[in-house]
PDB file of all heavy atoms in Angstrom:
ATOM      1  N   PHE A   1      -4.434  14.669   9.190  1.00 82.00           N
ATOM      2  CA  PHE A   1      -3.506  14.644   8.086  1.00 82.00           C
ATOM      3  C   PHE A   1      -2.518  13.477   8.238  1.00 82.00           C
ATOM      4  O   PHE A   1      -2.200  12.779   7.267  1.00 82.00           O
ATOM      5  CB  PHE A   1      -2.746  15.975   8.022  1.00 82.00           C
ATOM      6  CG  PHE A   1      -2.145  16.275   6.696  1.00 82.00           C
ATOM      7  CD1 PHE A   1      -2.927  16.579   5.595  1.00 82.00           C
ATOM      8  CD2 PHE A   1      -0.752  16.243   6.537  1.00 82.00           C
ATOM      9  CE1 PHE A   1      -2.361  16.859   4.380  1.00 82.00           C
ATOM     10  CE2 PHE A   1      -0.185  16.505   5.325  1.00 82.00           C
ATOM     11  CZ  PHE A   1      -0.994  16.830   4.236  1.00 82.00           C
ATOM     12  N   PHE A   2      -2.057  13.236   9.460  1.00 91.00           N
ATOM     13  CA  PHE A   2      -1.150  12.116   9.742  1.00 91.00           C
ATOM     14  C   PHE A   2      -1.831  10.792   9.444  1.00 91.00           C
ATOM     15  O   PHE A   2      -1.236   9.875   8.861  1.00 91.00           O
ATOM     16  CB  PHE A   2      -0.670  12.188  11.196  1.00 91.00           C
ATOM     17  CG  PHE A   2       0.275  11.094  11.579  1.00 91.00           C
ATOM     18  CD1 PHE A   2       1.555  11.048  11.037  1.00 91.00           C
ATOM     19  CD2 PHE A   2      -0.100  10.125  12.474  1.00 91.00           C
ATOM     20  CE1 PHE A   2       2.440  10.012  11.389  1.00 91.00           C
ATOM     21  CE2 PHE A   2       0.757   9.097  12.821  1.00 91.00           C
ATOM     22  CZ  PHE A   2       2.033   9.049  12.289  1.00 91.00           C
ATOM     23  N   TRP A   3      -3.090  10.670   9.813  1.00 92.00           N
ATOM     24  CA  TRP A   3      -3.853   9.438   9.559  1.00 92.00           C
ATOM     25  C   TRP A   3      -4.000   9.219   8.047  1.00 92.00           C
ATOM     26  O   TRP A   3      -3.908   8.091   7.561  1.00 92.00           O
ATOM     27  CB  TRP A   3      -5.201   9.501  10.235  1.00 92.00           C
ATOM     28  CG  TRP A   3      -5.988   8.247  10.084  1.00 92.00           C
ATOM     29  CD1 TRP A   3      -7.116   8.073   9.352  1.00 92.00           C
ATOM     30  CD2 TRP A   3      -5.680   6.972  10.659  1.00 92.00           C
ATOM     31  NE1 TRP A   3      -7.541   6.780   9.435  1.00 92.00           N
ATOM     32  CE2 TRP A   3      -6.684   6.067  10.225  1.00 92.00           C
ATOM     33  CE3 TRP A   3      -4.687   6.507  11.469  1.00 92.00           C
ATOM     34  CZ2 TRP A   3      -6.677   4.739  10.597  1.00 92.00           C
ATOM     35  CZ3 TRP A   3      -4.688   5.163  11.845  1.00 92.00           C
ATOM     36  CH2 TRP A   3      -5.698   4.308  11.415  1.00 92.00           C
ATOM     37  N   LEU A   4      -4.218  10.287   7.299  1.00 85.00           N
ATOM     38  CA  LEU A   4      -4.307  10.196   5.846  1.00 85.00           C
ATOM     39  C   LEU A   4      -2.995   9.687   5.278  1.00 85.00           C
ATOM     40  O   LEU A   4      -2.988   8.840   4.370  1.00 85.00           O
ATOM     41  CB  LEU A   4      -4.662  11.560   5.235  1.00 85.00           C
ATOM     42  CG  LEU A   4      -4.674  11.625   3.720  1.00 85.00           C
ATOM     43  CD1 LEU A   4      -5.810  10.772   3.148  1.00 85.00           C
ATOM     44  CD2 LEU A   4      -4.829  13.076   3.257  1.00 85.00           C
ATOM     45  N   VAL A   5      -1.873  10.181   5.778  1.00 86.00           N
ATOM     46  CA  VAL A   5      -0.549   9.732   5.319  1.00 86.00           C
ATOM     47  C   VAL A   5      -0.377   8.240   5.593  1.00 86.00           C
ATOM     48  O   VAL A   5       0.119   7.484   4.751  1.00 86.00           O
ATOM     49  CB  VAL A   5       0.578  10.563   5.974  1.00 86.00           C
ATOM     50  CG1 VAL A   5       1.933   9.935   5.721  1.00 86.00           C
ATOM     51  CG2 VAL A   5       0.536  11.994   5.470  1.00 86.00           C
ATOM     52  N   ILE A   6      -0.802   7.809   6.761  1.00 94.00           N
ATOM     53  CA  ILE A   6      -0.719   6.371   7.089  1.00 94.00           C
ATOM     54  C   ILE A   6      -1.535   5.537   6.124  1.00 94.00           C
ATOM     55  O   ILE A   6      -1.074   4.504   5.627  1.00 94.00           O
ATOM     56  CB  ILE A   6      -1.174   6.124   8.552  1.00 94.00           C
ATOM     57  CG1 ILE A   6      -0.150   6.683   9.538  1.00 94.00           C
ATOM     58  CG2 ILE A   6      -1.390   4.624   8.807  1.00 94.00           C
ATOM     59  CD1 ILE A   6      -0.605   6.648  10.981  1.00 94.00           C
ATOM     60  N   MET A   7      -2.758   5.967   5.835  1.00 92.00           N
ATOM     61  CA  MET A   7      -3.613   5.217   4.905  1.00 92.00           C
ATOM     62  C   MET A   7      -2.985   5.174   3.492  1.00 92.00           C
ATOM     63  O   MET A   7      -3.045   4.151   2.832  1.00 92.00           O
ATOM     64  CB  MET A   7      -5.011   5.815   4.864  1.00 92.00           C
ATOM     65  CG  MET A   7      -5.779   5.607   6.131  1.00 92.00           C
ATOM     66  SD  MET A   7      -7.536   6.014   6.075  1.00 92.00           S
ATOM     67  CE  MET A   7      -7.623   7.429   5.084  1.00 92.00           C
ATOM     68  N   ILE A   8      -2.411   6.287   3.054  1.00 85.00           N
ATOM     69  CA  ILE A   8      -1.782   6.306   1.728  1.00 85.00           C
ATOM     70  C   ILE A   8      -0.559   5.374   1.720  1.00 85.00           C
ATOM     71  O   ILE A   8      -0.371   4.644   0.739  1.00 85.00           O
ATOM     72  CB  ILE A   8      -1.386   7.755   1.352  1.00 85.00           C
ATOM     73  CG1 ILE A   8      -2.636   8.544   1.053  1.00 85.00           C
ATOM     74  CG2 ILE A   8      -0.447   7.782   0.156  1.00 85.00           C
ATOM     75  CD1 ILE A   8      -2.417  10.043   0.861  1.00 85.00           C
ATOM     76  N   ILE A   9       0.221   5.364   2.758  1.00 89.00           N
ATOM     77  CA  ILE A   9       1.393   4.472   2.820  1.00 89.00           C
ATOM     78  C   ILE A   9       0.959   3.018   2.744  1.00 89.00           C
ATOM     79  O   ILE A   9       1.554   2.225   1.993  1.00 89.00           O
ATOM     80  CB  ILE A   9       2.232   4.758   4.087  1.00 89.00           C
ATOM     81  CG1 ILE A   9       2.962   6.093   3.937  1.00 89.00           C
ATOM     82  CG2 ILE A   9       3.227   3.644   4.343  1.00 89.00           C
ATOM     83  CD1 ILE A   9       3.630   6.580   5.214  1.00 89.00           C
ATOM     84  N   PHE A  10      -0.054   2.634   3.512  1.00 91.00           N
ATOM     85  CA  PHE A  10      -0.503   1.245   3.470  1.00 91.00           C
ATOM     86  C   PHE A  10      -1.120   0.881   2.111  1.00 91.00           C
ATOM     87  O   PHE A  10      -0.911  -0.211   1.617  1.00 91.00           O
ATOM     88  CB  PHE A  10      -1.504   0.968   4.595  1.00 91.00           C
ATOM     89  CG  PHE A  10      -0.844   0.740   5.935  1.00 91.00           C
ATOM     90  CD1 PHE A  10      -1.323   1.360   7.057  1.00 91.00           C
ATOM     91  CD2 PHE A  10       0.232  -0.104   6.060  1.00 91.00           C
ATOM     92  CE1 PHE A  10      -0.720   1.169   8.283  1.00 91.00           C
ATOM     93  CE2 PHE A  10       0.854  -0.314   7.277  1.00 91.00           C
ATOM     94  CZ  PHE A  10       0.375   0.326   8.389  1.00 91.00           C
ATOM     95  N   ALA A  11      -1.869   1.808   1.525  1.00 89.00           N
ATOM     96  CA  ALA A  11      -2.438   1.536   0.199  1.00 89.00           C
ATOM     97  C   ALA A  11      -1.332   1.387  -0.835  1.00 89.00           C
ATOM     98  O   ALA A  11      -1.381   0.498  -1.699  1.00 89.00           O
ATOM     99  CB  ALA A  11      -3.403   2.654  -0.199  1.00 89.00           C
ATOM    100  N   TYR A  12      -0.314   2.247  -0.772  1.00 81.00           N
ATOM    101  CA  TYR A  12       0.800   2.150  -1.718  1.00 81.00           C
ATOM    102  C   TYR A  12       1.603   0.872  -1.474  1.00 81.00           C
ATOM    103  O   TYR A  12       2.071   0.242  -2.434  1.00 81.00           O
ATOM    104  CB  TYR A  12       1.672   3.380  -1.626  1.00 81.00           C
ATOM    105  CG  TYR A  12       2.653   3.477  -2.771  1.00 81.00           C
ATOM    106  CD1 TYR A  12       2.197   3.677  -4.065  1.00 81.00           C
ATOM    107  CD2 TYR A  12       4.017   3.357  -2.560  1.00 81.00           C
ATOM    108  CE1 TYR A  12       3.086   3.752  -5.123  1.00 81.00           C
ATOM    109  CE2 TYR A  12       4.906   3.434  -3.610  1.00 81.00           C
ATOM    110  CZ  TYR A  12       4.437   3.647  -4.895  1.00 81.00           C
ATOM    111  OH  TYR A  12       5.294   3.698  -5.951  1.00 81.00           O
ATOM    112  N   ALA A  13       1.772   0.470  -0.222  1.00 86.00           N
ATOM    113  CA  ALA A  13       2.473  -0.782   0.080  1.00 86.00           C
ATOM    114  C   ALA A  13       1.727  -1.968  -0.538  1.00 86.00           C
ATOM    115  O   ALA A  13       2.338  -2.876  -1.082  1.00 86.00           O
ATOM    116  CB  ALA A  13       2.626  -0.942   1.580  1.00 86.00           C
ATOM    117  N   ASP A  14       0.413  -1.939  -0.469  1.00 85.00           N
ATOM    118  CA  ASP A  14      -0.389  -2.993  -1.086  1.00 85.00           C
ATOM    119  C   ASP A  14      -0.227  -2.953  -2.603  1.00 85.00           C
ATOM    120  O   ASP A  14      -0.074  -3.989  -3.245  1.00 85.00           O
ATOM    121  CB  ASP A  14      -1.859  -2.828  -0.707  1.00 85.00           C
ATOM    122  CG  ASP A  14      -2.740  -3.884  -1.357  1.00 85.00           C
ATOM    123  OD1 ASP A  14      -2.477  -5.068  -1.165  1.00 85.00           O
ATOM    124  OD2 ASP A  14      -3.682  -3.496  -2.064  1.00 85.00           O
ATOM    125  N   TYR A  15      -0.186  -1.757  -3.159  1.00 79.00           N
ATOM    126  CA  TYR A  15      -0.082  -1.598  -4.603  1.00 79.00           C
ATOM    127  C   TYR A  15       1.257  -2.130  -5.129  1.00 79.00           C
ATOM    128  O   TYR A  15       1.285  -2.830  -6.153  1.00 79.00           O
ATOM    129  CB  TYR A  15      -0.260  -0.127  -4.990  1.00 79.00           C
ATOM    130  CG  TYR A  15      -0.007   0.174  -6.422  1.00 79.00           C
ATOM    131  CD1 TYR A  15      -0.939  -0.149  -7.399  1.00 79.00           C
ATOM    132  CD2 TYR A  15       1.185   0.782  -6.807  1.00 79.00           C
ATOM    133  CE1 TYR A  15      -0.722   0.113  -8.724  1.00 79.00           C
ATOM    134  CE2 TYR A  15       1.401   1.080  -8.154  1.00 79.00           C
ATOM    135  CZ  TYR A  15       0.468   0.728  -9.108  1.00 79.00           C
ATOM    136  OH  TYR A  15       0.704   0.999 -10.418  1.00 79.00           O
ATOM    137  N   ILE A  16       2.328  -1.801  -4.451  1.00 79.00           N
ATOM    138  CA  ILE A  16       3.645  -2.204  -4.988  1.00 79.00           C
ATOM    139  C   ILE A  16       3.930  -3.694  -4.769  1.00 79.00           C
ATOM    140  O   ILE A  16       4.804  -4.243  -5.412  1.00 79.00           O
ATOM    141  CB  ILE A  16       4.802  -1.354  -4.392  1.00 79.00           C
ATOM    142  CG1 ILE A  16       4.914  -1.553  -2.891  1.00 79.00           C
ATOM    143  CG2 ILE A  16       4.651   0.099  -4.767  1.00 79.00           C
ATOM    144  CD1 ILE A  16       6.136  -0.887  -2.268  1.00 79.00           C
ATOM    145  N   THR A  17       3.186  -4.341  -3.874  1.00 80.00           N
ATOM    146  CA  THR A  17       3.417  -5.771  -3.677  1.00 80.00           C
ATOM    147  C   THR A  17       2.549  -6.638  -4.573  1.00 80.00           C
ATOM    148  O   THR A  17       2.720  -7.847  -4.611  1.00 80.00           O
ATOM    149  CB  THR A  17       3.158  -6.184  -2.204  1.00 80.00           C
ATOM    150  OG1 THR A  17       1.831  -5.827  -1.858  1.00 80.00           O
ATOM    151  CG2 THR A  17       4.153  -5.481  -1.272  1.00 80.00           C
ATOM    152  N   ARG A  18       1.642  -6.059  -5.306  1.00 74.00           N
ATOM    153  CA  ARG A  18       0.755  -6.849  -6.165  1.00 74.00           C
ATOM    154  C   ARG A  18       1.488  -7.660  -7.228  1.00 74.00           C
ATOM    155  O   ARG A  18       1.154  -8.804  -7.465  1.00 74.00           O
ATOM    156  CB  ARG A  18      -0.296  -5.938  -6.859  1.00 74.00           C
ATOM    157  CG  ARG A  18      -1.285  -5.344  -5.938  1.00 74.00           C
ATOM    158  CD  ARG A  18      -2.318  -6.341  -5.570  1.00 74.00           C
ATOM    159  NE  ARG A  18      -3.179  -5.798  -4.538  1.00 74.00           N
ATOM    160  CZ  ARG A  18      -4.345  -6.294  -4.257  1.00 74.00           C
ATOM    161  NH1 ARG A  18      -4.816  -7.328  -4.918  1.00 74.00           N
ATOM    162  NH2 ARG A  18      -5.057  -5.782  -3.290  1.00 74.00           N
ATOM    163  N   PRO A  19       2.495  -7.121  -7.955  1.00 68.00           N
ATOM    164  CA  PRO A  19       3.155  -7.927  -8.960  1.00 68.00           C
ATOM    165  C   PRO A  19       3.910  -9.132  -8.392  1.00 68.00           C
ATOM    166  O   PRO A  19       4.284 -10.011  -9.144  1.00 68.00           O
ATOM    167  CB  PRO A  19       4.160  -6.952  -9.622  1.00 68.00           C
ATOM    168  CG  PRO A  19       3.672  -5.613  -9.246  1.00 68.00           C
ATOM    169  CD  PRO A  19       2.950  -5.749  -7.963  1.00 68.00           C
ATOM    170  N   TRP A  20       4.163  -9.174  -7.105  1.00 67.00           N
ATOM    171  CA  TRP A  20       4.934 -10.263  -6.518  1.00 67.00           C
ATOM    172  C   TRP A  20       4.059 -11.389  -6.006  1.00 67.00           C
ATOM    173  O   TRP A  20       4.497 -12.247  -5.273  1.00 67.00           O
ATOM    174  CB  TRP A  20       5.737  -9.730  -5.328  1.00 67.00           C
ATOM    175  CG  TRP A  20       6.691  -8.637  -5.677  1.00 67.00           C
ATOM    176  CD1 TRP A  20       7.168  -8.338  -6.926  1.00 67.00           C
ATOM    177  CD2 TRP A  20       7.259  -7.729  -4.799  1.00 67.00           C
ATOM    178  NE1 TRP A  20       8.026  -7.286  -6.852  1.00 67.00           N
ATOM    179  CE2 TRP A  20       8.092  -6.882  -5.561  1.00 67.00           C
ATOM    180  CE3 TRP A  20       7.178  -7.502  -3.436  1.00 67.00           C
ATOM    181  CZ2 TRP A  20       8.838  -5.840  -4.997  1.00 67.00           C
ATOM    182  CZ3 TRP A  20       7.913  -6.474  -2.885  1.00 67.00           C
ATOM    183  CH2 TRP A  20       8.728  -5.655  -3.652  1.00 67.00           C
ATOM    184  N   GLU A  21       2.813 -11.391  -6.417  1.00 62.00           N
ATOM    185  CA  GLU A  21       1.906 -12.482  -5.980  1.00 62.00           C
ATOM    186  C   GLU A  21       2.392 -13.823  -6.537  1.00 62.00           C
ATOM    187  O   GLU A  21       2.735 -13.920  -7.720  1.00 62.00           O
ATOM    188  CB  GLU A  21       0.493 -12.215  -6.481  1.00 62.00           C
ATOM    189  CG  GLU A  21      -0.149 -10.990  -5.848  1.00 62.00           C
ATOM    190  CD  GLU A  21      -1.519 -10.719  -6.453  1.00 62.00           C
ATOM    191  OE1 GLU A  21      -1.851 -11.285  -7.488  1.00 62.00           O
ATOM    192  OE2 GLU A  21      -2.245  -9.919  -5.831  1.00 62.00           O
ATOM    193  N   PRO A  22       2.390 -14.854  -5.704  1.00 70.00           N
ATOM    194  CA  PRO A  22       2.842 -16.183  -6.191  1.00 70.00           C
ATOM    195  C   PRO A  22       1.879 -16.758  -7.216  1.00 70.00           C
ATOM    196  O   PRO A  22       2.296 -17.449  -8.133  1.00 70.00           O
ATOM    197  CB  PRO A  22       2.892 -17.037  -4.931  1.00 70.00           C
ATOM    198  CG  PRO A  22       2.033 -16.321  -3.935  1.00 70.00           C
ATOM    199  CD  PRO A  22       2.040 -14.885  -4.310  1.00 70.00           C
ATOM    200  N   VAL A  23       0.603 -16.503  -7.050  1.00 72.00           N
ATOM    201  CA  VAL A  23      -0.414 -16.971  -7.953  1.00 72.00           C
ATOM    202  C   VAL A  23      -1.284 -15.791  -8.339  1.00 72.00           C
ATOM    203  O   VAL A  23      -1.701 -15.054  -7.445  1.00 72.00           O
ATOM    204  CB  VAL A  23      -1.253 -18.095  -7.292  1.00 72.00           C
ATOM    205  CG1 VAL A  23      -2.379 -18.549  -8.214  1.00 72.00           C
ATOM    206  CG2 VAL A  23      -0.410 -19.242  -6.848  1.00 72.00           C
ATOM    207  N   PRO A  24      -1.552 -15.577  -9.621  1.00 69.00           N
ATOM    208  CA  PRO A  24      -2.415 -14.445  -9.998  1.00 69.00           C
ATOM    209  C   PRO A  24      -3.764 -14.522  -9.284  1.00 69.00           C
ATOM    210  O   PRO A  24      -4.403 -15.568  -9.238  1.00 69.00           O
ATOM    211  CB  PRO A  24      -2.576 -14.583 -11.513  1.00 69.00           C
ATOM    212  CG  PRO A  24      -1.388 -15.376 -11.956  1.00 69.00           C
ATOM    213  CD  PRO A  24      -1.056 -16.276 -10.796  1.00 69.00           C
TER     214      PRO A  24
END
């Protein structure tokens, strides 16, 4: 369950940083 939480956190971190890409 802890490993699942880690994977969700990293996936969400990737998701929220997408709009900040310097180049589409």
Side-chain angles (χ1 to χ4, degrees):
F1 200 70
F2 180 68
W3 184 249
L4 175 67
V5 169
I6 290 172
M7 291 191 322
I8 289 172
I9 288 171
F10 281 133
Y12 193 66
D14 179 56
Y15 174 75
I16 63 173
T17 58
R18 292 283 173 162
W20 301 341
E21 294 176 345
V23 177

